[in-house]
């Protein structure tokens, strides 16, 4: 860790296939810092394997990639540095992974937010906005929406910059 008082935090939110990952990658590139990509996805089938391979190819060789579906706080602590930008993609997959593993999502979310106070460097968090649609028809889906919504609100409050992406176009909401 560095002597920096806290990291610079950017939060990029949008719908599925909205262009949020590409936008976040562009922001990370603009920092001029060493780029690290922390992927939270888990590969369970060939379709997901192809999506992950496509994302890796699109990013190119200028990134160091870390794959961690659940231990986000610990992984960030191990790789953060004042001379790095770490792009975390994506928080909704992380919430899903925690729920499927029957972990305490509220506790893990609070740990993530608390860890930012002692962090170093620049973090770019990507997540899917899940609160703009209809109310889910089952308990687990409603719990997921609620966990994600609370995490998004808390992270947006702490972030230096917040962007909402729709149809590939950024709307700066904060910063």
């Amino acid at each position: 860790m560095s002597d920096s008082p806290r990291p610079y935090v950017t939060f990029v939110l949008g719908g599925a296939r909205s262009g949020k990952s590409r936008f976040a990658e562009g922001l990370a590139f603009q920092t001029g810092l060493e780029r690290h990509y922390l992927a939270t996805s888990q590969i369970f089938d060939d379709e997901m394997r192809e999506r992950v391979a496509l994302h890796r190819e699109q990013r190119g060789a200028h990134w160091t990639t870390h794959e961690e579906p659940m231990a986000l706080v610990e992984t960030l602590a191990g790789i953060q540095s004042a001379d790095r930008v770490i792009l975390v993609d994506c928080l909704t997959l992380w919430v899903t992974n925690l729920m499927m593993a029957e972990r305490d999502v509220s506790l893990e979310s609070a740990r993530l937010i608390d860890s930012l106070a002692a962090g170093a460097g620049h973090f770019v968090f990507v997540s899917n906005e899940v609160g703009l649609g209809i109310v889910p028809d089952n308990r687990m889906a409603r719990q997921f929406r609620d966990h994600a919504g609370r995490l998004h609100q808390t992270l947006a409050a702490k972030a230096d910059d917040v962007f909402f992406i729709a149809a590939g176009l950024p709307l700066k909401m904060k910063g």
Side-chain angles (χ1 to χ4, degrees):
M1 290 212 201
S2 77
D3 294 6
S4 175
R6 69 173 193 84
Y8 195 88
V9 177
T10 301
F11 183 32
V12 179
L13 190 63
R17 312 310 297 166
S18 65
K20 62 190 173 299
S21 292
R22 183 178 308 131
F23 178 79
E25 290 167 12
L27 289 176
F29 187 80
Q30 290 173 13
T31 67
L33 300 172
E34 178 184 317
R35 292 181 298 283
H36 287 251
Y37 189 96
L38 201 163
T40 62
S41 64
Q42 295 187 75
I43 299 173
F44 292 114
D45 58 30
D46 289 339
E47 186 266 340
M48 189 60 161
R49 187 173 283 97
E50 289 174 19
R51 289 178 75 125
V52 168
L54 179 62
H55 273 268
R56 284 182 187 144
E57 181 181 318
Q58 289 173 340
R59 277 195 310 274
H62 304 290
W63 293 82
T64 300
T65 300
H66 310 268
E67 296 178 355
E68 178 49 57
M70 285 187 273
L72 189 54
V73 173
E74 293 79 8
T75 303
L76 288 173
I79 64 175
Q80 65 186 319
S81 174
D83 62 345
R84 291 181 177 165
V85 58
I86 301 170
L87 192 158
V88 177
D89 197 354
C90 91
L91 292 176
T92 43
L93 283 175
W94 179 63
V95 168
T96 299
N97 296 338
L98 294 172
M99 288 181 71
M100 297 306 289
E102 298 182 0
R103 302 268 296 272
D104 186 334
V105 178
S106 296
L107 175 66
E108 294 297 329
S109 295
R111 289 182 62 232
L112 173 63
I113 299 302
D114 290 346
S115 75
L116 296 177
H122 188 147
F123 294 101
V124 180
F125 291 96
V126 176
S127 199
N128 290 290
E129 173 52 59
V130 297
L132 295 175
I134 60 173
V135 174
D137 69 348
N138 67 77
R139 184 173 187 250
M140 184 175 188
R142 286 189 299 274
Q143 288 176 332
F144 168 77
R145 180 212 47 204
D146 294 348
H147 284 305
R150 284 189 291 271
L151 174 58
H152 292 164
Q153 289 180 53
T154 306
L155 182 57
K158 298 285 185 188
D160 298 285
D161 295 321
V162 179
F163 294 91
F164 185 81
I165 311 300
L169 301 173
L171 170 64
K172 191 164 192 178
M173 301 175 69
K174 179 181 178 183

